[in-house]
Amino acid sequence: SVTTITAKHYFQNGVHTFAGIIPMPTPCDLVDATTTVLNNGTPKKVSLDFTVIDNAQTCQQTVTDQRFEVSVSGDDQTQFTARFMGRSVQLNLIPAAPGEKPEDFQLYQKG
């Protein structure tokens, strides 16, 4: 079961973008990522919400990395938490290097 989500964190022009991978038990388990604003005050608090969509009745049991990318507006004080299937999980954010863009994130990045 997923207990930690690791994401590369990009912040450009007032938009936070998170990109990462979550290992899923089969290639049919697709990850959907959305954001929920928990508090629009100062600091703004946002939850990254991950759900699994599995449309296949039968699927080979092969652990498969599913890529996600999600964006939300905010300032440099915005705080982030994560939920996986409605359950709080640890969010491990890796700051992007200066000039790095979300589209540079590769699925098979060696960390």
Side-chain angles (χ1 to χ4, degrees):
S1 163
V2 175
T3 56
T4 302
I5 291 175
T6 299
K8 188 159 272 201
H9 178 204
Y10 305 86
F11 180 53
Q12 298 167 317
N13 305 321
V15 176
H16 294 270
T17 301
F18 304 89
I21 53 173
I22 301 176
M24 288 285 107
T26 78
C28 303
D29 293 302
L30 303 179
V31 173
D32 182 46
T34 59
T35 59
T36 305
V37 176
L38 304 174
N39 175 351
N40 221 352
T42 307
K44 183 174 184 175
K45 294 186 179 178
V46 177
S47 175
L48 307 182
D49 294 325
F50 299 90
T51 52
V52 176
I53 304 159
D54 183 1
N55 295 325
Q57 296 298 319
T58 57
C59 199
Q60 186 178 1
Q61 292 286 316
T62 307
V63 174
T64 305
D65 286 341
Q66 297 290 352
R67 186 183 189 281
F68 66 84
E69 185 175 309
V70 64
S71 298
V72 64
S73 63
D75 62 19
D76 61 357
Q77 300 300 308
T78 303
Q79 296 176 354
F80 298 95
T81 55
R83 293 184 292 211
F84 184 82
M85 301 299 283
R87 192 172 40 83
S88 288
V89 293
Q90 187 175 342
L91 183 60
N92 179 27
L93 295 180
I94 301 166
E100 205 175 4
K101 297 181 183 64
E103 51 270 24
D104 298 334
F105 183 88
Q106 294 300 316
L107 183 60
Y108 298 106
Q109 191 169 27
K110 300 289 180 240

XYZ file of all heavy atoms in Angstrom:
853
model
N 0.844 -1.197 0.000
C 0.000 0.000 0.000
C 0.889 1.261 0.000
O 1.964 1.253 0.568
C -0.897 -0.060 1.220
O -1.444 1.179 1.515
N 0.415 2.301 -0.618
C 1.189 3.544 -0.744
C 1.174 4.310 0.581
O 0.110 4.592 1.124
C 0.618 4.409 -1.884
C 1.319 5.747 -1.951
C 0.739 3.682 -3.215
N 2.368 4.615 1.104
C 2.446 5.400 2.343
C 3.187 6.715 2.127
O 3.039 7.649 2.904
C 3.170 4.614 3.449
O 4.452 4.229 2.967
C 2.386 3.382 3.862
N 3.991 6.792 1.069
C 4.737 8.007 0.752
C 4.638 8.277 -0.738
O 4.737 7.347 -1.543
C 6.228 7.853 1.124
O 6.327 7.560 2.514
C 7.003 9.133 0.836
N 4.440 9.536 -1.088
C 4.453 9.942 -2.489
C 5.601 10.922 -2.667
O 5.689 11.921 -1.947
C 3.110 10.567 -2.901
C 2.043 9.465 -2.903
C 3.219 11.256 -4.258
C 0.656 9.937 -3.180
N 6.493 10.593 -3.580
C 7.628 11.460 -3.874
C 7.345 12.189 -5.174
O 6.940 11.569 -6.162
C 8.925 10.635 -3.996
O 9.153 9.978 -2.743
C 10.114 11.529 -4.316
N 7.542 13.496 -5.164
C 7.262 14.290 -6.357
C 8.319 15.367 -6.518
O 8.810 15.929 -5.539
C 5.885 14.942 -6.260
N 8.655 15.640 -7.762
C 9.512 16.786 -8.046
C 8.599 18.010 -8.046
O 7.492 17.977 -8.590
C 10.206 16.618 -9.397
C 11.252 17.703 -9.602
C 12.285 17.310 -10.617
C 13.415 16.552 -9.988
N 14.627 16.601 -10.844
N 9.055 19.076 -7.379
C 8.232 20.271 -7.186
C 8.793 21.428 -8.008
O 9.934 21.834 -7.815
C 8.234 20.612 -5.685
C 7.455 21.843 -5.350
N 7.704 22.586 -4.230
C 6.440 22.465 -5.990
C 6.867 23.617 -4.186
N 6.092 23.563 -5.249
N 7.979 21.909 -8.924
C 8.340 23.054 -9.770
C 7.483 24.233 -9.334
O 6.305 24.067 -9.054
C 8.044 22.748 -11.241
C 8.699 21.484 -11.738
C 8.083 20.250 -11.566
C 9.935 21.517 -12.386
C 8.689 19.084 -12.023
C 10.536 20.355 -12.844
C 9.907 19.142 -12.655
O 10.500 17.996 -13.107
N 8.084 25.428 -9.285
C 7.316 26.621 -8.944
C 7.721 27.729 -9.906
O 8.846 28.211 -9.871
C 7.575 27.031 -7.488
C 6.811 28.263 -7.071
C 5.429 28.328 -7.246
C 7.454 29.333 -6.491
C 4.719 29.457 -6.859
C 6.753 30.464 -6.101
C 5.381 30.519 -6.284
N 6.796 28.074 -10.816
C 7.072 29.102 -11.820
C 5.834 29.962 -12.034
O 4.740 29.430 -12.204
C 7.458 28.445 -13.156
C 8.729 27.606 -13.080
C 8.894 26.733 -14.310
O 7.951 26.116 -14.787
N 10.101 26.664 -14.821
N 6.024 31.259 -12.029
C 4.959 32.215 -12.344
C 3.685 31.974 -11.530
O 2.587 32.003 -12.064
C 4.625 32.161 -13.844
C 5.860 32.385 -14.697
O 6.702 33.216 -14.371
N 5.980 31.644 -15.779
N 3.858 31.718 -10.228
C 2.693 31.548 -9.360
C 1.991 30.212 -9.504
O 0.867 30.051 -9.022
N 2.625 29.250 -10.175
C 2.016 27.925 -10.328
C 2.975 26.855 -9.787
O 4.141 26.809 -10.172
C 1.668 27.624 -11.806
C 1.124 26.208 -11.953
C 0.660 28.636 -12.330
N 2.453 26.043 -8.884
C 3.200 24.891 -8.368
C 2.830 23.686 -9.220
O 1.647 23.417 -9.423
C 2.792 24.594 -6.917
C 3.174 25.673 -5.958
N 4.377 25.694 -5.298
C 2.496 26.775 -5.544
C 4.432 26.752 -4.510
N 3.304 27.431 -4.643
N 3.820 22.962 -9.704
C 3.571 21.739 -10.460
C 4.339 20.608 -9.800
O 5.498 20.778 -9.408
C 4.005 21.887 -11.934
O 3.277 22.974 -12.514
C 3.722 20.616 -12.727
N 3.681 19.476 -9.671
C 4.275 18.298 -9.051
C 4.259 17.168 -10.068
O 3.232 16.895 -10.683
C 3.468 17.880 -7.816
C 3.347 18.992 -6.820
C 2.299 19.892 -6.881
C 4.307 19.169 -5.836
C 2.188 20.939 -5.985
C 4.210 20.219 -4.924
C 3.156 21.101 -5.001
N 5.411 16.515 -10.244
C 5.502 15.381 -11.160
C 6.218 14.253 -10.447
O 7.179 14.480 -9.705
C 6.260 15.770 -12.427
N 5.743 13.042 -10.664
C 6.384 11.908 -10.015
C 5.824 10.605 -10.534
O 5.066 10.577 -11.507
N 6.226 9.540 -9.870
C 5.715 8.222 -10.228
C 5.266 7.499 -8.970
O 5.797 7.725 -7.884
C 6.775 7.367 -10.967
C 8.063 7.301 -10.158
C 7.025 7.882 -12.364
C 9.085 6.356 -10.723
N 4.252 6.670 -9.123
C 3.764 5.827 -8.036
C 3.741 4.396 -8.568
O 3.094 4.138 -9.579
C 2.349 6.248 -7.588
C 2.341 7.703 -7.119
C 1.848 5.322 -6.477
C 0.962 8.221 -6.756
N 4.467 3.484 -7.929
C 4.417 2.091 -8.370
C 3.036 1.498 -8.078
O 2.548 1.571 -6.955
C 5.491 1.388 -7.535
C 6.274 2.478 -6.870
C 5.385 3.675 -6.804
N 2.410 0.935 -9.091
C 1.095 0.318 -8.960
C 1.239 -1.196 -9.175
O 2.132 -1.639 -9.894
C 0.137 0.903 -10.005
C -0.288 2.334 -9.722
S -1.498 2.428 -8.378
C -0.514 3.114 -7.071
N 0.343 -1.987 -8.570
C 0.482 -3.444 -8.654
C 0.306 -4.029 -10.053
O 0.805 -5.109 -10.331
C -0.589 -3.971 -7.699
C -1.506 -2.841 -7.432
C -0.747 -1.572 -7.692
N -0.419 -3.323 -10.926
C -0.589 -3.813 -12.300
C -0.492 -2.640 -13.265
O -0.687 -1.481 -12.873
C -1.966 -4.490 -12.516
O -2.960 -3.465 -12.661
C -2.347 -5.422 -11.373
N -0.259 -2.911 -14.555
C -0.230 -1.827 -15.547
C -1.606 -1.214 -15.786
O -1.715 -0.155 -16.387
C 0.291 -2.497 -16.819
C 0.495 -3.925 -16.526
C 0.147 -4.196 -15.098
N -2.672 -1.870 -15.306
C -4.033 -1.349 -15.516
C -4.438 -0.326 -14.463
O -5.427 0.377 -14.629
C -5.040 -2.484 -15.504
S -4.697 -3.745 -16.724
N -3.698 -0.281 -13.351
C -4.024 0.670 -12.286
C -3.477 2.039 -12.665
O -2.281 2.273 -12.569
C -3.407 0.217 -10.953
C -4.024 -1.061 -10.427
O -5.249 -1.067 -10.226
O -3.284 -2.036 -10.225
N -4.354 2.918 -13.107
C -3.937 4.258 -13.522
C -4.133 5.231 -12.374
O -5.120 5.154 -11.644
C -4.749 4.707 -14.736
C -4.672 3.768 -15.939
C -5.536 4.296 -17.076
C -3.238 3.565 -16.389
N -3.195 6.158 -12.234
C -3.251 7.128 -11.143
C -3.851 8.433 -11.659
O -3.439 8.951 -12.692
C -1.832 7.385 -10.585
C -1.857 8.519 -9.574
C -1.268 6.116 -9.967
N -4.825 8.942 -10.926
C -5.424 10.237 -11.233
C -5.054 11.184 -10.094
O -5.238 10.843 -8.927
C -6.948 10.100 -11.340
C -7.590 11.422 -11.715
O -7.085 12.091 -12.638
O -8.599 11.799 -11.089
N -4.494 12.338 -10.436
C -4.078 13.309 -9.425
C -4.882 14.588 -9.572
O -5.009 15.122 -10.666
C -2.585 13.599 -9.566
N -5.429 15.075 -8.455
C -6.168 16.339 -8.431
C -5.700 17.129 -7.217
O -4.966 16.610 -6.377
C -7.689 16.091 -8.337
O -7.956 15.346 -7.153
C -8.212 15.349 -9.555
N -6.130 18.373 -7.128
C -5.785 19.184 -5.959
C -7.055 19.671 -5.281
O -8.076 19.899 -5.936
C -4.932 20.412 -6.347
O -5.665 21.212 -7.278
C -3.605 19.997 -6.954
N -6.986 19.813 -3.965
C -8.083 20.356 -3.178
C -7.521 21.469 -2.309
O -6.569 21.240 -1.559
C -8.702 19.272 -2.263
O -9.090 18.160 -3.061
C -9.903 19.806 -1.512
N -8.084 22.662 -2.419
C -7.653 23.762 -1.555
C -8.339 23.580 -0.208
O -9.564 23.609 -0.110
C -8.010 25.132 -2.179
C -7.647 26.256 -1.214
C -7.294 25.311 -3.506
N -7.523 23.361 0.823
C -8.057 23.135 2.172
C -8.284 24.449 2.899
O -9.171 24.577 3.722
C -7.085 22.258 2.979
C -6.719 20.909 2.353
C -5.644 20.226 3.172
C -7.949 20.021 2.230
N -7.430 25.435 2.600
C -7.498 26.718 3.276
C -6.930 27.762 2.333
O -5.781 27.650 1.907
C -6.675 26.639 4.573
C -6.591 27.971 5.296
O -6.996 29.010 4.776
N -6.054 27.945 6.504
N -7.727 28.761 1.989
C -7.284 29.781 1.042
C -6.670 30.980 1.747
O -6.455 32.008 1.153
C -8.445 30.215 0.150
C -7.986 30.394 -1.289
O -6.794 30.331 -1.579
N -8.924 30.616 -2.177
N -6.411 30.858 3.047
C -5.847 31.967 3.820
C -4.342 32.059 3.633
O -3.803 31.693 2.608
N -3.676 32.564 4.678
C -2.227 32.669 4.648
C -1.666 31.838 5.776
O -1.956 32.128 6.926
C -1.789 34.138 4.821
O -2.477 34.917 3.842
C -0.309 34.303 4.628
N -0.894 30.789 5.534
C -0.566 30.334 4.180
C -1.699 29.504 3.576
O -2.480 28.895 4.300
C 0.667 29.451 4.424
C 0.444 28.891 5.801
C -0.262 29.977 6.568
N -1.751 29.509 2.265
C -2.693 28.664 1.540
C -2.291 27.212 1.782
O -1.108 26.885 1.794
C -2.620 28.999 0.045
C -3.605 28.251 -0.832
C -3.515 28.782 -2.267
C -4.538 28.145 -3.178
N -4.511 28.754 -4.531
N -3.280 26.342 1.994
C -3.002 24.920 2.207
C -3.722 24.108 1.138
O -4.921 24.288 0.920
C -3.445 24.480 3.596
C -2.613 25.149 4.677
C -2.929 24.641 6.059
C -2.034 25.348 7.062
N -2.289 24.974 8.432
N -2.958 23.247 0.488
C -3.490 22.471 -0.631
C -3.176 20.992 -0.418
O -2.065 20.631 -0.021
C -2.864 22.939 -1.971
C -3.352 22.089 -3.134
C -3.183 24.409 -2.221
N -4.151 20.152 -0.693
C -3.934 18.709 -0.647
C -3.809 18.185 -2.068
O -4.597 18.546 -2.942
C -5.104 18.006 0.049
O -4.933 16.603 -0.021
N -2.789 17.355 -2.296
C -2.664 16.637 -3.564
C -3.382 15.313 -3.352
O -3.021 14.530 -2.471
C -1.188 16.394 -3.904
C -0.282 17.630 -3.894
C 1.129 17.234 -4.296
C -0.812 18.704 -4.816
N -4.429 15.094 -4.133
C -5.270 13.909 -3.940
C -5.055 12.917 -5.074
O -5.232 13.253 -6.248
C -6.742 14.318 -3.876
C -7.038 15.167 -2.652
O -6.432 14.918 -1.602
O -7.876 16.077 -2.755
N -4.684 11.699 -4.699
C -4.400 10.651 -5.681
C -5.431 9.546 -5.558
O -5.711 9.067 -4.459
C -3.000 10.073 -5.447
C -1.916 11.103 -5.601
C -1.494 11.850 -4.515
C -1.334 11.329 -6.835
C -0.499 12.813 -4.655
C -0.340 12.293 -6.983
C 0.078 13.027 -5.897
N -6.020 9.174 -6.690
C -6.945 8.051 -6.720
C -6.494 7.098 -7.815
O -5.781 7.492 -8.749
C -8.396 8.503 -6.995
O -8.413 9.313 -8.162
C -8.965 9.283 -5.836
N -6.909 5.851 -7.677
C -6.534 4.830 -8.654
C -7.759 4.455 -9.461
O -8.831 4.203 -8.920
C -5.959 3.579 -7.951
C -5.661 2.490 -8.969
C -4.709 3.945 -7.170
N -7.592 4.471 -10.766
C -8.660 4.076 -11.679
C -8.227 2.758 -12.305
O -7.180 2.679 -12.936
C -8.840 5.128 -12.790
C -9.099 6.504 -12.175
C -9.968 4.737 -13.726
C -8.805 7.636 -13.113
N -9.002 1.714 -12.077
C -8.666 0.413 -12.650
C -9.842 -0.035 -13.502
O -10.874 -0.443 -12.981
C -8.374 -0.595 -11.544
C -7.947 -1.951 -12.086
O -7.857 -2.111 -13.314
O -7.725 -2.843 -11.285
N -9.680 0.074 -14.821
C -10.773 -0.256 -15.729
C -10.746 -1.703 -16.207
O -11.654 -2.148 -16.879
C -10.729 0.674 -16.952
C -10.996 2.106 -16.549
O -11.774 2.356 -15.649
N -10.327 3.037 -17.200
N -9.685 -2.437 -15.872
C -9.540 -3.785 -16.399
C -10.051 -4.829 -15.410
O -9.833 -4.721 -14.216
C -8.076 -4.063 -16.720
N -10.741 -5.818 -15.921
C -11.210 -6.915 -15.079
C -10.063 -7.876 -14.784
O -9.935 -8.384 -13.688
C -12.353 -7.665 -15.775
C -13.588 -6.820 -15.999
C -14.199 -6.329 -14.703
O -14.270 -7.067 -13.731
N -14.621 -5.082 -14.665
N -9.270 -8.128 -15.799
C -8.129 -9.019 -15.614
C -6.898 -8.273 -16.068
O -6.895 -7.614 -17.102
C -8.280 -10.303 -16.455
O -8.437 -9.931 -17.814
C -9.485 -11.109 -15.997
N -5.860 -8.367 -15.269
C -4.636 -7.661 -15.610
C -3.466 -8.414 -14.999
O -3.557 -8.921 -13.886
C -4.683 -6.239 -15.066
S -3.515 -5.150 -15.865
N -2.383 -8.469 -15.741
C -1.191 -9.154 -15.272
C -0.650 -8.456 -14.028
O -0.555 -7.236 -13.982
C -0.148 -9.148 -16.383
C 1.085 -9.945 -16.064
C 2.068 -9.939 -17.225
O 1.822 -9.324 -18.249
N 3.171 -10.626 -17.050
N -0.295 -9.232 -13.027
C 0.265 -8.685 -11.790
C 1.738 -8.345 -12.013
O 2.615 -9.153 -11.783
C 0.127 -9.697 -10.649
C -1.300 -9.929 -10.216
C -1.851 -8.761 -9.412
O -1.188 -8.221 -8.544
N -3.077 -8.361 -9.714
N 1.974 -7.150 -12.528
C 3.337 -6.672 -12.755
C 3.410 -5.260 -12.211
O 2.666 -4.386 -12.668
C 3.658 -6.634 -14.264
O 3.374 -7.906 -14.824
C 5.102 -6.286 -14.502
N 4.274 -5.036 -11.231
C 4.394 -3.685 -10.674
C 4.813 -2.728 -11.784
O 5.775 -2.978 -12.515
C 5.407 -3.650 -9.508
C 5.638 -2.225 -9.047
C 4.906 -4.507 -8.356
N 4.034 -1.663 -11.951
C 4.227 -0.726 -13.047
C 4.249 0.692 -12.500
O 3.361 1.068 -11.731
C 3.066 -0.867 -14.061
O 2.982 -2.234 -14.470
C 3.278 0.012 -15.276
N 5.254 1.469 -12.888
C 5.333 2.860 -12.450
C 4.344 3.709 -13.248
O 4.396 3.735 -14.474
C 6.744 3.419 -12.657
C 7.731 2.861 -11.638
O 7.281 2.350 -10.588
O 8.941 2.931 -11.890
N 3.446 4.379 -12.548
C 2.486 5.278 -13.188
C 2.904 6.717 -12.916
O 3.079 7.113 -11.771
C 1.074 5.016 -12.652
C 0.545 3.635 -12.950
C 0.238 3.413 -14.417
O 0.273 4.336 -15.229
N -0.057 2.178 -14.766
N 3.035 7.492 -13.992
C 3.457 8.881 -13.870
C 2.251 9.756 -13.535
O 1.138 9.498 -13.984
C 4.070 9.337 -15.202
C 4.674 10.729 -15.160
C 5.178 11.109 -16.560
N 5.947 12.334 -16.542
C 5.447 13.560 -16.493
N 4.143 13.734 -16.444
N 6.231 14.620 -16.486
N 2.502 10.790 -12.738
C 1.451 11.774 -12.495
C 2.041 13.166 -12.634
O 3.241 13.375 -12.507
C 0.829 11.602 -11.091
C 1.774 11.898 -9.956
C 1.973 13.192 -9.511
C 2.475 10.868 -9.347
C 2.851 13.466 -8.463
C 3.355 11.135 -8.303
C 3.546 12.427 -7.864
N 1.168 14.104 -12.938
C 1.538 15.517 -12.944
C 0.289 16.300 -12.581
O -0.792 16.033 -13.104
C 2.060 15.944 -14.318
C 2.571 17.372 -14.325
C 3.191 17.759 -15.661
O 4.058 17.011 -16.146
O 2.783 18.802 -16.200
N 0.455 17.241 -11.654
C -0.685 18.046 -11.224
C -0.179 19.442 -10.887
O 0.942 19.602 -10.412
C -1.409 17.360 -10.027
C -0.513 17.272 -8.810
C -2.716 18.045 -9.708
N -1.000 20.459 -11.172
C -0.603 21.849 -10.936
C -1.668 22.588 -10.141
O -2.856 22.265 -10.227
C -0.389 22.586 -12.268
O 0.641 21.985 -12.997
N -1.214 23.605 -9.397
C -2.140 24.450 -8.650
C -1.471 25.813 -8.448
O -0.249 25.892 -8.312
C -2.516 23.800 -7.287
C -1.308 23.661 -6.377
C -3.639 24.553 -6.599
N -2.282 26.874 -8.451
C -1.707 28.199 -8.235
C -1.467 28.428 -6.744
O -2.131 27.832 -5.898
C -2.635 29.278 -8.799
O -3.865 29.244 -8.106
N -0.491 29.275 -6.451
C -0.178 29.604 -5.066
C 1.094 30.425 -5.009
O 1.752 30.633 -6.029
N 1.439 30.880 -3.801
C 2.673 31.643 -3.663
C 3.755 30.760 -3.052
O 3.550 29.554 -2.873
C 2.437 32.919 -2.846
C 1.965 32.625 -1.422
O 2.150 31.492 -0.934
O 1.414 33.545 -0.797
N 4.892 31.365 -2.700
C 6.001 30.551 -2.194
C 5.797 30.100 -0.751
O 6.600 29.354 -0.207
C 7.346 31.281 -2.363
C 7.403 32.595 -1.602
O 6.384 32.986 -0.978
O 8.458 33.239 -1.645
N 4.704 30.541 -0.114
C 4.396 30.105 1.257
C 3.364 28.974 1.285
O 3.025 28.476 2.353
C 3.851 31.295 2.065
C 4.814 32.459 2.172
C 6.110 32.064 2.850
O 6.104 31.492 3.929
N 7.228 32.350 2.196
N 2.827 28.614 0.134
C 1.785 27.588 0.077
C 2.292 26.276 0.665
O 3.425 25.877 0.411
C 1.319 27.380 -1.381
O 0.872 28.636 -1.906
C 0.164 26.385 -1.456
N 1.448 25.647 1.471
C 1.804 24.377 2.108
C 1.031 23.243 1.452
O -0.141 23.398 1.096
C 1.475 24.435 3.603
C 2.293 25.470 4.341
C 1.890 25.593 5.802
O 0.920 24.993 6.251
N 2.638 26.385 6.552
N 1.704 22.088 1.330
C 1.111 20.960 0.623
C 1.090 19.702 1.477
O 2.027 19.434 2.223
C 1.884 20.678 -0.670
C 1.836 21.833 -1.626
C 2.850 22.774 -1.646
C 0.755 22.001 -2.470
C 2.793 23.852 -2.504
C 0.682 23.092 -3.324
C 1.705 24.016 -3.349
N 0.005 18.957 1.341
C -0.107 17.635 1.954
C -0.608 16.699 0.861
O -0.968 17.146 -0.230
C -1.096 17.632 3.141
O -2.352 18.137 2.685
C -0.585 18.481 4.298
N -0.636 15.398 1.163
C -1.079 14.439 0.153
C -2.025 13.413 0.760
O -1.919 13.053 1.931
C 0.128 13.733 -0.466
N -2.957 12.960 -0.093
C -3.872 11.885 0.281
C -3.882 10.875 -0.855
O -3.904 11.252 -2.027
C -5.285 12.413 0.506
C -5.399 13.320 1.723
C -6.821 13.761 2.002
N -7.313 14.662 0.947
C -8.197 15.632 1.159
N -8.678 15.848 2.349
N -8.606 16.377 0.159
N -3.856 9.605 -0.483
C -3.936 8.534 -1.472
C -5.176 7.714 -1.150
O -5.296 7.170 -0.061
C -2.679 7.654 -1.414
C -2.655 6.596 -2.478
C -2.237 6.909 -3.767
C -3.057 5.301 -2.200
C -2.224 5.942 -4.761
C -3.047 4.330 -3.194
C -2.631 4.655 -4.476
N -6.132 7.691 -2.077
C -7.409 7.009 -1.881
C -8.083 7.495 -0.597
O -8.633 6.718 0.175
C -7.220 5.486 -1.859
C -6.603 4.909 -3.131
S -7.596 5.192 -4.632
C -8.885 3.961 -4.412
N -7.993 8.818 -0.345
C -8.661 9.427 0.792
C -7.905 9.329 2.107
O -8.358 9.856 3.118
N -6.749 8.677 2.107
C -5.971 8.466 3.332
C -4.733 9.352 3.282
O -4.067 9.426 2.260
C -5.579 6.984 3.360
C -5.028 6.458 4.633
C -4.876 4.928 4.560
N -4.391 4.450 3.267
C -3.121 4.420 2.905
N -2.179 4.849 3.720
N -2.771 3.951 1.721
N -4.407 10.007 4.398
C -3.219 10.858 4.433
C -1.957 10.029 4.256
O -1.824 8.964 4.858
C -3.129 11.607 5.768
O -4.113 12.606 5.809
N -1.071 10.506 3.397
C 0.218 9.854 3.185
C 1.303 10.918 3.269
O 1.032 12.113 3.166
C 0.298 9.123 1.814
C -0.660 7.941 1.776
C 0.033 10.076 0.661
N 2.528 10.477 3.459
C 3.656 11.401 3.525
C 3.946 11.936 2.128
O 3.894 11.191 1.142
C 4.867 10.662 4.083
C 6.036 11.581 4.353
C 7.180 10.826 5.035
O 6.984 9.746 5.587
N 8.359 11.395 4.976
N 4.252 13.230 2.054
C 4.599 13.860 0.779
C 6.066 14.250 0.820
O 6.475 15.053 1.654
C 3.714 15.086 0.542
C 3.905 15.819 -0.782
C 3.619 14.899 -1.974
C 2.995 17.046 -0.842
N 6.847 13.653 -0.041
C 8.285 13.898 -0.115
C 8.542 14.737 -1.361
O 8.459 14.227 -2.479
C 9.021 12.547 -0.181
C 10.516 12.729 -0.292
O 11.077 13.731 0.144
N 11.172 11.755 -0.892
N 8.821 16.030 -1.165
C 9.003 16.935 -2.301
C 10.482 17.148 -2.585
O 11.269 17.408 -1.690
C 8.332 18.281 -2.027
C 6.813 18.238 -1.900
C 6.269 19.622 -1.624
C 6.179 17.653 -3.161
N 10.829 17.046 -3.860
C 12.196 17.288 -4.319
C 12.174 18.574 -5.130
O 11.486 18.642 -6.158
C 12.682 16.124 -5.203
C 12.640 14.816 -4.404
C 14.077 16.402 -5.743
C 12.765 13.584 -5.262
N 12.879 19.621 -4.684
C 12.855 20.880 -5.441
C 13.490 20.698 -6.818
O 14.528 20.049 -6.948
C 13.682 21.841 -4.590
C 13.913 21.162 -3.282
C 13.709 19.695 -3.489
N 12.855 21.274 -7.821
C 13.412 21.239 -9.165
C 14.606 22.180 -9.235
O 14.658 23.188 -8.536
C 12.353 21.659 -10.183
N 15.542 21.838 -10.089
C 16.699 22.707 -10.290
C 16.264 23.967 -11.030
O 15.282 23.944 -11.777
C 17.763 21.970 -11.100
N 16.979 25.093 -10.848
C 16.616 26.314 -11.565
C 16.583 26.058 -13.072
O 17.493 25.434 -13.610
C 17.743 27.280 -11.196
C 18.285 26.772 -9.899
C 18.125 25.276 -9.946
N 15.510 26.508 -13.708
C 15.383 26.350 -15.149
C 14.804 25.013 -15.576
O 14.479 24.820 -16.739
N 14.652 24.092 -14.632
C 14.074 22.789 -14.957
C 12.567 22.932 -15.104
O 11.929 23.634 -14.329
C 14.416 21.814 -13.821
C 14.430 20.371 -14.227
C 14.889 19.454 -13.095
O 15.118 19.934 -11.968
O 15.017 18.264 -13.355
N 11.991 22.264 -16.096
C 10.554 22.367 -16.354
C 9.893 21.005 -16.140
O 10.539 19.977 -16.310
C 10.308 22.826 -17.788
C 10.841 24.202 -18.093
C 10.509 24.576 -19.542
C 11.088 25.912 -19.912
N 12.564 25.941 -19.881
N 8.580 21.013 -15.810
C 7.891 19.741 -15.580
C 7.993 18.784 -16.773
O 8.093 17.586 -16.585
C 6.440 20.155 -15.338
C 6.531 21.553 -14.836
C 7.735 22.157 -15.505
N 7.989 19.325 -17.972
C 8.066 18.443 -19.142
C 9.434 17.759 -19.270
O 9.595 16.824 -20.043
C 7.701 19.167 -20.438
C 8.437 20.461 -20.680
C 7.736 21.684 -20.114
O 6.937 21.550 -19.157
O 7.980 22.790 -20.628
N 10.420 18.227 -18.481
C 11.732 17.577 -18.471
C 11.719 16.306 -17.625
O 12.636 15.500 -17.703
C 12.810 18.515 -17.897
C 12.976 19.775 -18.725
O 12.670 19.734 -19.927
O 13.400 20.798 -18.158
N 10.694 16.162 -16.778
C 10.646 15.007 -15.880
C 10.453 13.735 -16.684
O 9.540 13.630 -17.488
C 9.505 15.159 -14.869
C 9.442 14.025 -13.874
C 10.163 14.084 -12.702
C 8.677 12.906 -14.127
C 10.120 13.042 -11.789
C 8.625 11.862 -13.217
C 9.354 11.929 -12.047
N 11.325 12.777 -16.465
C 11.245 11.514 -17.192
C 10.766 10.407 -16.264
O 11.142 10.351 -15.105
C 12.623 11.144 -17.763
C 13.113 12.104 -18.824
C 12.186 12.173 -20.020
O 11.721 11.166 -20.512
N 11.911 13.382 -20.477
N 9.968 9.515 -16.810
C 9.437 8.399 -16.050
C 10.553 7.538 -15.492
O 10.512 7.078 -14.376
C 8.517 7.577 -16.936
C 7.812 6.387 -16.269
C 6.943 6.841 -15.124
C 6.969 5.659 -17.280
N 11.596 7.324 -16.283
C 12.652 6.409 -15.868
C 13.843 7.144 -15.309
O 14.976 6.737 -15.468
C 13.067 5.524 -17.050
C 11.902 4.685 -17.526
C 11.243 4.981 -18.701
C 11.449 3.627 -16.756
C 10.163 4.226 -19.113
C 10.367 2.873 -17.159
C 9.722 3.171 -18.342
O 8.640 2.431 -18.746
N 13.595 8.255 -14.638
C 14.648 9.045 -14.047
C 15.326 8.239 -12.946
O 14.678 7.645 -12.100
C 14.011 10.300 -13.453
C 14.986 11.336 -13.024
C 14.264 12.629 -12.700
O 13.116 12.624 -12.325
N 14.942 13.739 -12.839
N 16.641 8.212 -12.966
C 17.382 7.538 -11.899
C 17.585 8.532 -10.772
O 18.093 9.615 -10.986
C 18.737 7.050 -12.434
C 18.620 6.078 -13.585
C 18.097 4.735 -13.092
C 17.971 3.744 -14.234
N 16.619 3.255 -14.427
N 17.164 8.157 -9.557
C 17.209 9.102 -8.460
C 18.316 8.900 -7.553
O 18.841 8.209 -6.949
